[in-house]
């Protein structure tokens, strides 16, 4: 995984938490590993009892935390969306731990506020780091086709396979807006289970597909990327990266095999990416605009 580290922070950025659930402990530990960050404390909304396992400075008032923090991390599933909007309107940078809280029409207004305030907002998506999606987008130019093939060993307690991260990964790799989506579902012999096949057409001409089978004999998970002079087959379970590349126009293609780097500290990498985006005023790895594109896709296919 290529993470940008070449940045200079003139002063430490104070970072505060809203809630202490979800991955809050991992983010808190990551802050101590980064010289550019300083922890200011946490604020707990009235309906949040995650403070039971919290022992550091606690803000009694949300406004006090905004005044003393440059970055706000919103943790857990029950994030109050109005608090995110308030932070952005008060010119605070934001990291949202759970993307589902803004996967609705809130994302439209959030994008508008982010553009107006000129702050950085990043959304956590650990799988995209782990899968090496950034590395794929940096490696392959003129991509033509993207395919996720996901087969999950049958479990009677799991009615369907979650493909939201795959849809977002396709959006990130294609780097374009989807204009046509075909969503086909094939009922399988096991009750309440179905094979799902989605095909995407993007504005820039890229095509993509996602196949998800919840009744496979065993787990397998592959990503195929076809570019102008490359083709990659990435086994996301074994973390093997097979690449077929034409070095010249007259030579035979060369087969290459790589191993995806392990990403043991995803929260630290997310914070590094956020700091880089803040200091360089560039888009973070997953921005609200990415989530807005995801939300548009979900509306197009009526995927709930």
């Amino acid at each position: 995984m290529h993470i940008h580290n070449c940045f200079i922070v003139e002063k430490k950025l104070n970072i505060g938490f809203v809630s202490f659930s979800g991955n809050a402990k991992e983010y808190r530990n990551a802050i101590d590993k980064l010289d550019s960050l300083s922890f200011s404390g946490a604020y707990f909304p009235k309906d949040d009892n995650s403070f039971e396992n919290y022992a550091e400075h606690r803000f009694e008032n949300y406004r006090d935390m905004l005044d003393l923090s440059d970055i706000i991390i919103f943790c857990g599933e029950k994030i109050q969306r109005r608090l995110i909007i308030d932070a952005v309107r008060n010119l605070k940078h934001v990291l949202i731990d759970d993307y589902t809280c803004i996967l609705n029409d809130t994302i439209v207004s959030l994008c508008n506020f982010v553009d107006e305030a000129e702050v950085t907002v990043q959304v956590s998506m650990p799988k995209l780091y782990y899968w090496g999606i950034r590395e794929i987008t940096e490696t392959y130019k003129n991509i033509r086709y993207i395919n996720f093939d996901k087969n999950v060993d049958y479990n009677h307690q799991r009615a369907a396979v979650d493909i939201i991260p795959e849809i977002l990964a396709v959006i990130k790799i294609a780097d374009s807006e989807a204009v046509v989506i075909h969503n086909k579902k094939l009922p399988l012999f096991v009750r309440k289970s179905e094979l799902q096949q989605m095909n995407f057409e993007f504005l820039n001409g890229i095509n993509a597909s996602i196949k998800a089978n919840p009744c496979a004999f065993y787990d397998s998970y592959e990503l195929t990327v076809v570019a102008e002079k490359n083709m990659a087959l990435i086994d996301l379970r074994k973390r093997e990266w097979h690449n077929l590349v034409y070095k010249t126009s007259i030579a035979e293609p060369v087969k290459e095999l790589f191993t995806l780097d392990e990403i043991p500290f995803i929260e630290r990498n997310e914070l590094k990416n956020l700091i880089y985006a803040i200091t360089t005023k560039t888009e973070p790895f997953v921005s609200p605009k990415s989530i807005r594109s995801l939300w548009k896709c979900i509306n197009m296919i009526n995927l709930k």
Side-chain angles (χ1 to χ4, degrees):
M1 171 69 65
H2 176 67
I3 298 294
H4 300 281
N5 287 309
C6 299
F7 55 83
I8 298 174
V9 180
E10 295 181 355
K11 68 178 185 67
K12 282 198 171 188
L13 296 171
N14 293 321
I15 187 165
F17 288 26
V18 172
S19 183
F20 208 72
S21 56
N23 292 331
K25 290 183 179 179
E26 286 72 18
Y27 286 118
R28 178 66 190 91
N29 292 334
I31 289 170
D32 289 338
K33 307 294 183 182
L34 299 173
D35 294 336
S36 55
L37 294 179
S38 177
F39 181 62
S40 58
Y43 168 77
F44 298 88
K46 292 181 179 179
D47 59 348
D48 184 355
N49 61 0
S50 62
F51 61 83
E52 294 176 357
N53 297 318
Y54 179 78
E56 295 186 272
H57 180 255
R58 177 179 174 183
F59 290 101
E60 297 297 331
N61 185 284
Y62 184 60
R63 179 64 55 182
D64 291 341
M65 189 190 68
L66 291 180
D67 289 342
L68 295 176
S69 303
D70 303 298
I71 303 171
I72 311 295
I73 297 183
F74 292 87
C75 302
E77 300 175 357
K78 299 179 180 179
I79 301 170
Q80 297 181 21
R81 294 188 290 272
R82 66 173 181 81
L83 297 181
I84 299 175
I85 297 294
D86 283 349
V88 171
R89 296 180 79 169
N90 281 275
L91 308 182
K92 304 302 177 181
H93 306 292
V94 167
L95 192 153
I96 300 170
D97 174 51
D98 192 327
Y99 69 93
T100 60
C101 75
I102 56 171
L103 197 58
N104 46 54
D105 55 6
T106 300
I107 191 60
V108 177
S109 56
L110 178 59
C111 285
N112 293 336
F113 284 125
V114 169
D115 288 341
E116 181 180 341
E118 296 184 351
V119 297
T120 300
V121 176
Q122 175 161 303
V123 184
S124 174
M125 187 61 71
K127 286 185 178 179
L128 270 64
Y129 279 90
Y130 188 75
W131 296 339
I133 299 302
R134 178 194 288 280
E135 198 169 53
I136 292 170
T137 59
E138 292 177 347
T139 301
Y140 298 98
K141 309 303 179 186
N142 298 319
I143 292 174
R144 309 285 178 79
Y145 177 68
I146 307 158
N147 175 65
F148 275 95
D149 192 355
K150 185 174 186 177
N151 297 283
V152 182
D153 190 18
Y154 174 68
N155 184 331
H156 71 280
Q157 295 180 336
R158 181 180 54 239
V161 179
D162 178 22
I163 57 172
I164 296 295
E166 286 76 14
I167 297 174
L168 182 55
V170 163
I171 292 170
K172 292 294 295 181
I173 297 172
D175 191 25
S176 182
E177 293 288 330
V179 290
V180 178
I181 303 177
H182 299 286
N183 185 27
K184 298 180 181 178
K185 295 183 179 181
L186 172 65
L188 298 174
F189 58 92
V190 179
R191 183 172 174 267
K192 293 184 178 180
S193 65
E194 53 192 10
L195 179 71
Q196 187 163 4
Q197 175 76 41
M198 298 181 60
N199 297 312
F200 301 78
E201 296 177 21
F202 288 92
L203 189 61
N204 60 4
I206 292 176
N207 288 274
S209 62
I210 300 172
K211 189 193 79 174
N213 178 13
C215 294
F217 294 103
Y218 53 87
D219 289 351
S220 64
Y221 200 11
E222 295 179 339
L223 168 61
T224 302
V225 177
V226 179
E228 186 175 17
K229 295 182 179 180
N230 301 71
M231 183 170 72
L233 175 62
I234 304 170
D235 189 321
L236 296 171
R237 284 180 54 81
K238 296 181 179 179
R239 304 190 61 72
E240 291 181 349
W241 187 320
H242 301 264
N243 186 51
L244 187 66
V245 57
Y246 278 92
K247 300 291 186 180
T248 66
S249 59
I250 58 175
E252 289 294 317
V254 177
K255 294 181 180 180
E256 302 172 328
L257 174 62
F258 306 98
T259 301
L260 278 173
D261 294 337
E262 292 293 334
I263 311 295
F265 305 109
I266 289 179
E267 291 79 13
R268 192 185 306 176
N269 287 324
E270 286 182 327
L271 288 174
K272 286 182 179 180
N273 181 236
L274 177 62
I275 297 167
Y276 178 82
I278 291 171
T279 55
T280 60
K281 296 184 178 181
T282 55
E283 285 284 319
F285 184 38
V286 180
S287 68
K289 291 179 181 178
S290 300
I291 303 300
R292 183 178 61 188
S293 296
L294 173 63
W295 179 70
K296 287 180 179 179
C297 287
I298 291 174
N299 284 336
M300 289 172 69
I301 61 179
N302 195 27
L303 179 62
K304 303 295 183 182

